[in-house]
Amino acid sequence: MLARRLLAPLGGVAVAIALYPVTWGLDAIAREGQLGPGFWPRLALGGLALACVGKMLEDWQRLRRAAPGAPDARPPLARGKLVAGIACIVGYVLLAPVLGFALVSALFIAAFLVLGGMRSVPAIATNVVVGVVALLYLFVRLVYLPLPKGDGPFEAVTLALYRALRLY
Amino acid sequence: MGEIFANLGGGFVNAFQPLNFAMILLGLTIGIIAGALPGITMLNSIVLVLPFTYLMGIVPALLLMIGVYCGGVFGGSITGILFNIPGDPMNVPTTWEGYRLSRKGQTQYALGLAIMSSAFGGLVSALFLAFFAPPFAKFALTFSTVEFFAVVVFGLASVSVLGQASMAGALISLFTGVLLGTIGTEAQYGVERFAFGVPFLKTGVDFVTVLIGLFAIGEVLEQLVVKGAEPAPATSGARAIPKLPLLALWPLRWSLARGTAVGIAVGGLAGAGATVSSFVSYGLEKQISKEPHLFGTGHAGGLVASESSVNGSTGGAMIHLLTLGIPGSAATAVMMGAFLIHGIQPGPLLFTKQPEQVYTIFAGMILANVVMIALGFLAALSFAMLMKVPASILNTFIVVFCFLGAFALRNDLADVWLTMLFGVLGFFMRRWDLPIPPLVMGIILGPMAEQYFLTSMVSHANDLTVFVTRPVSAVVLAFSLLMVVWPFVKTFRARRRHAGGG
């Protein structure tokens, strides 16, 4: 348990150590005797490293005081759902330039609703259709947001959809 | 004084002209809606209405922009309270308390408090502007980057009151935020920092992407995957219709007064603005409060203080523009553009040459804040209806709106990637007991602190003592130090008492 709790602050120390040398070259532009553009990042990295060490000590002390074998106070996690949720979100952004906003949003809405526990197909379909059409009207027609249209055949599908909805 | 009353009376007559009043209503509506949508900030909406003012006279044009300004600074608190998505960085402290109140089933109360305290802060600030603008502007002009740095440090020091569960955890978050704020092209020397050749990093990390990701996406993931997580907002949806708690404000009158005073004072410092004032007033309120341990769990005093200071800063920011012709914030800089487009140079001569216009603007601000109670109520009512939607649907569309909000910033999918990345980071920060608010403060206030610090150093030949030899800076920094040290003193005294008793 201690190793798991130390993971985040250790990561912070590693990031601070890795980035510190990057700041050395930044001050070359500064005049003699003046604080350069590397000063503030160094301050932040130093502070981050110190705070991480402090957190490690704090966690170590807290665990030392806790009764041996005491359960983790944090609520349990549905790991499968977490992976699926992150995959949905990453896939949403990853596929947006390929499929276009309309198609990728339809897929995302359906997938995330299922992940959230919705099982009724008509309800999912209604949310997808009403949601995507409303979003397109609001953000393409009214706000003129140049949302991704997709690549190749998907672009043609998006444009056809825009024409059908009289967005163009 | 009699002359001011007479001019203000004339201003009200002008502001009540049908076209002028319609512009106030239209501006407020646009501002509240735009402010509530993440990614479309109050500043964006002022910029968007600017071209429409070309064909108007200066008074309706300015009243439209003032409406957008007053409505925009309030609007972001609605989605913050309901969905944990602050519309603007300045609404972040309101979100910390308002969303927690909402999760406790007190959505009506939280929304009502936000509306009333915003209107109160804005109203007092507009009255202050009408009566004390010239002498205050003269006093504020004596401030330099040294004092601005001290004020921003005071805001950053409030991290100590946000991280009482784990000070080290709060500091990790704070320094991570400060570090993220250094990414991109540095303002003074034009050097790229931590961009590593990635084009979109050269312009820096937009803090709106961080806000949307950490708060909204992190919360959606939390609700999706944590077994036994707090009930979704839909369970309290039936009680989401806002209520205007006039009597409930009385016990919070001192929080309201402090928040408004901080808003006017910090808003009056050119360049500081509503975001700094909301953080400063929240930190101050927690330090003064008799129940600081309840902050972050849905504390009405924290909400009222931050919300009143946000709208309280609007009058302060207008002081510089109208009395000196210097914009006090980005929003007032756009308004200055409207003045110049119409061939009017704001400044001291405006009060002698065109007093009727100046006092119509003052009257417009006063009216806008009164009318905002009704419009804010209607807007909150519409948004609150969404609370009745089942959590699975709400969470799905929150992610879609986050996508759109992040994309709208620069029409770049890179911002959407960042938002989603910060969303996942926000989820794990919650798991690792790292508080999120200090990171947000670091990324917003960190770059300001750096800019003011380095400029002060250049102006004063690297003499660090300048921060303690200038009285205002010394006092503010002493308060900041006290704020940081006080929790440790309290802990030490409690331990000694405990040891003595045991």
Side-chain angles (χ1 to χ4, degrees), chain A residues 4-5 7-9 15 19 22-23 26 29-31 33-41 43-45 47-48 51-52 54-55 58 62 65 74-79 81-83 85-86 89-90 92-94 96-97 101 104-105 108-110 112-113 115-118 127-128 131-132 135 138-139 143 145-148, chain B residues 37 40 149 156 165-169 171-173 175-176 178-179 182 186 188-194 196 217 220-222 224-229 390 392-397 399-401 403-405 407-408 411 413 416-417 420 424 427-428 430-434 445-447 449-450 453-454 457-458 461-462 495:
Chain A
R4 216 170 47 193
R5 290 195 78 93
L7 206 64
V15 167
L19 290 179
V22 180
T23 66
L26 295 173
I29 197 167
R31 268 181 294 169
Q34 290 281 6
L35 293 173
F39 169 75
W40 201 257
L43 192 77
L45 288 168
L48 177 64
C52 286
K55 176 79 175 153
E58 195 180 88
R62 201 172 285 172
R65 279 194 212 127
R74 289 177 300 186
L77 201 72
R79 284 172 199 278
K81 260 191 173 181
L82 175 64
V83 174
I86 293 175
I89 289 171
V90 170
Y92 189 21
V93 193
L94 194 68
F101 176 78
V104 81
S105 293
F108 172 79
I109 292 169
F112 217 71
L113 284 175
L115 200 61
M118 191 178 273
N127 272 294
V128 167
V132 171
L135 288 169
L138 184 63
F139 286 94
V143 186
L145 199 62
L147 291 167
Chain B
L37 295 174
I40 304 175
F149 174 74
L156 283 170
S166 163
M167 182 61 89
L171 288 174
I172 291 177
S173 289
F175 284 114
T176 305
V178 173
L179 187 63
T182 64
E186 194 262 347
Q188 208 167 24
Y189 293 93
V191 175
E192 273 175 32
R193 297 186 301 200
F194 306 126
F196 304 110
I217 304 279
V220 166
L221 282 175
E222 178 97 1
L224 185 73
V225 304
V226 175
K227 294 170 184 168
S392 60
I393 298 176
L394 201 59
N395 286 341
T396 304
F397 282 94
V399 178
V400 176
F401 271 92
F403 181 113
L404 288 161
F407 185 78
N411 298 339
L413 276 171
V416 187
W417 273 116
M420 302 304 172
V424 176
F427 171 80
F428 284 106
R430 284 174 170 91
R431 295 291 297 173
W432 292 330
D433 299 328
L434 295 175
L445 300 182
E450 179 187 12
F453 179 75
L454 290 182
M457 287 292 91
V458 169
N462 280 354
R495 273 190 195 160

